[in-house]
């Protein structure tokens, strides 16, 4: 696609203490500094002191089963994990959800809100087979110019409790999922050795990373982390495993938490929290960030059978994590913005991500004077750029209408 050169004039790039211009050419940042000249045919965006941030990274989403764009659907699930899984299976059938259409609706909304990269978990199981994955793959073919996406084959309905699921996960990786997911090896499957050995065997065979949902709390979750670490060590998979939610890290005494931190650092396990609602314990974000544990975040399910509350806005997500953690100071607020940008980009292995010359021009222009204010106010982006093209303006995605 042809690229026009763009000069963002009078901006405040994150990390600089003064205003600067950002020159974009051929899809990349060509220069950052004061008084840059716009090339002849280039377009000028007057930033008027807005910040320039790297594109937001929603590194834990579930775009395949969102109800976004459909009439409001009251939340009807019971309180337990199994209640929610069963409720979702029923609603998906009742509403005849199309993963291709629903993921397209949500992706467009995410673009409008400044997201340039998504890691999405996609349900794979005996009920849907690979059909959701095929739906999202078809959607992504039509949206590659607007967003980068990584897919996780996710066993939402369990692994060992549903024999045949491991084979389907293996097939999903061969069909295009880049990452392999898991789900509460103890709490759901009651067979942690079976699930983890099965997942790690596929990951080793296919050379893919792992990203495991772990809702199990307290010692059950901590024991699961140790079992994950044993397998990382045995297979040499350091830095290739992420744990999503990790509620257990929020419910341990100081000595046990310290053991877990050492484990996460030794095996370079990345941790995702999206800031769970309803008094659920969650990982101690500031402590983990200060100790150097890799952190990232994501929307999780956006208006789906798991929750109607999430919106797919990553600046709002950073705000919510800050709110939940009681962060008031600028460094605290910046931790959450890093989770929603650099943390997710590192997890996904995004090359040339950032705000320096040579980086891909995946950028958000947002009305705020500093990163902390951007999180606190979480305004809509004025412009969103993907590979140097403007793909959203004032909260509206600039995409052709859905067919
Ligand atoms: Zn999830």
């Amino acid at each position: 696609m042809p690229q026009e050169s763009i000069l963002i004039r009078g901006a405040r790039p994150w990390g600089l203490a003064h205003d600067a211009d950002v020159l974009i050419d051929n899809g990349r940042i060509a220069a950052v500094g004061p008084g840059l000249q716009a090339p002849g045919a280039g377009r000028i965006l007057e930033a008027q002191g807005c910040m320039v941030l790297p594109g937001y990274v929603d590194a834990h989403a579930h775009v395949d089963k969102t109800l976004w764009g459909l009439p409001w659907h009251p939340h009807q699930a019971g309180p337990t994990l199994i209640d929610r899984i069963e409720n979702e299976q029923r609603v998906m059938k009742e509403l005849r959800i199309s993963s291709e259409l629903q993921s397209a609706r949500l992706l467009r909304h995410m673009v409008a809100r400044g997201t340039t990269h998504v890691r999405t978990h996609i349900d794979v199981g005996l009920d849907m087979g690979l059909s959701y994955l095929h739906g999202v793959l078809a959607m992504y073919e039509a949206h590659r110019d607007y967003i980068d996406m990584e897919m996780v084959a996710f066993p939402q309905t369990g692994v060992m409790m549903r024999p045949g699921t491991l084979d389907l996960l293996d097939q999903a990786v061969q069909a295009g999922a880049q990452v392999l997911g898991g789900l509460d090896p103890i709490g759901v499957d009651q067979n942690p050795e079976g699930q983890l050995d099965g997942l790690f065997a596929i990951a080793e065979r296919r050379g893919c990373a792992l990203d495991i949902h772990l809702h199990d709390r307290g010692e059950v979750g901590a024991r699961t982390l140790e079992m994950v670490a044993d397998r990382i060590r045995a297979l040499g998979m350091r830095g290739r495993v992420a744990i999503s939610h990790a509620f257990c890290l929020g419910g341990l005494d100081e000595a046990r938490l310290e053991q877990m931190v050492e484990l996460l650092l030794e095996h370079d396990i990345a941790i995702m929290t999206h800031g769970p609602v309803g008094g659920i314990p969650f990982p101690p974000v500031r402590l983990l960030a200060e100790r150097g544990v890799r952190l990232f975040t994501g929307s999780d399910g956006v208006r789906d059978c798991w929750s109607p509350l999430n919106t797919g806005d990553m600046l709002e997500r950073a705000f919510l994590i800050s709110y939940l953690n009681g962060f008031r100071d600028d460094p605290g607020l910046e931790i959450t913005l890093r989770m929603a940008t650099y943390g997710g980009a590192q997890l996904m292995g995004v090359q040339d991500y950032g705000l320096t010359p040579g980086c891909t021009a995946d950028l958000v222009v947002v009305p705020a004077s500093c990163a902390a204010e951007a999180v606190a106010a979480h305004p809509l982006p004025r412009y969103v750029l993907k590979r140097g093209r403007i793909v959203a303006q004032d909260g509206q995605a600039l995409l052709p209408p859905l067919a």
Side-chain angles (χ1 to χ4, degrees), residues 238-267:
R238 186 177 189 277
R240 303 276 291 152
V241 178
I243 298 292
S244 284
H245 297 303
F247 295 154
C248 61
L249 294 175
L252 301 174
D253 65 39
E254 207 174 313
R256 188 69 169 131
L257 177 61
E258 178 58 27
Q259 287 178 348
M260 289 297 115
V261 171
E262 291 295 330
L263 200 72
L264 299 176
L265 291 170
E266 181 186 348
H267 299 285

Side-chain angles (χ1 to χ4, degrees), residues 60-62 121 154 156 213 215 244-245 272 300-301:
H60 185 117
H62 292 263
H121 295 249
F154 174 51
Q156 176 72 84
H213 279 67
H215 308 90
S244 284
H245 297 303
M272 189 293 292
D300 206 13

Side-chain angles (χ1 to χ4, degrees), residues 13-61:
W14 187 12
L16 290 188
H18 52 82
D19 285 359
D21 303 337
V22 179
L23 180 62
I24 295 155
D25 194 34
N26 205 24
R28 291 184 179 269
I29 297 173
V32 178
L36 298 179
Q37 295 300 311
R43 180 169 174 185
I44 296 176
L45 305 181
E46 298 292 350
Q48 297 171 318
C50 283
M51 285 199 82
V52 173
L53 301 174
Y56 308 145
V57 183
D58 191 334
H60 185 117

Side-chain angles (χ1 to χ4, degrees), residues 126-263:
L126 302 184
D127 300 312
M128 74 293 293
L130 304 188
S131 62
Y132 292 6
L133 176 65
H134 289 310
V136 176
L137 282 166
M139 178 284 298
Y140 185 45
E141 272 311 302
H143 289 82
R144 282 179 177 276
D145 288 338
Y146 304 98
I147 204 156
D148 284 311
M149 197 168 71
E150 189 174 61
M151 285 159 259
V152 186
F154 174 51
Q156 176 72 84
T157 49
V159 181
M160 305 314 288
M161 64 187 286
R162 307 289 300 270
T165 302
L166 276 175
D167 282 344
L168 286 168
L169 292 170
D170 194 18
Q171 290 170 32
V173 171
Q174 295 177 76
Q178 299 93 335
V179 181
L180 189 60
L183 175 66
D184 293 316
I186 296 177
V188 170
D189 266 353
Q190 309 286 328
N191 183 352
E193 289 86 2
Q195 182 181 138
L196 292 175
D197 287 345
L199 295 179
F200 274 86
I202 296 172
E204 186 186 30
R205 187 159 67 242
R206 305 296 174 200
C208 60
L210 283 164
D211 188 340
I212 299 172
H213 279 67
L214 183 59
H215 308 90
D216 282 337
R217 304 183 194 182
E219 194 50 36
V220 176
R223 180 70 198 120
T224 305
L225 280 179
E226 289 175 331
M227 296 179 75
V228 167
D230 287 344
R231 286 154 179 82
I232 293 173
R233 189 183 298 113
L235 297 178
M237 283 187 64
R238 186 177 189 277
R240 303 276 291 152
V241 178
I243 298 292
S244 284
H245 297 303
F247 295 154
C248 61
L249 294 175
L252 301 174
D253 65 39
E254 207 174 313
R256 188 69 169 131
L257 177 61
E258 178 58 27
Q259 287 178 348
M260 289 297 115
V261 171
E262 291 295 330
L263 200 72

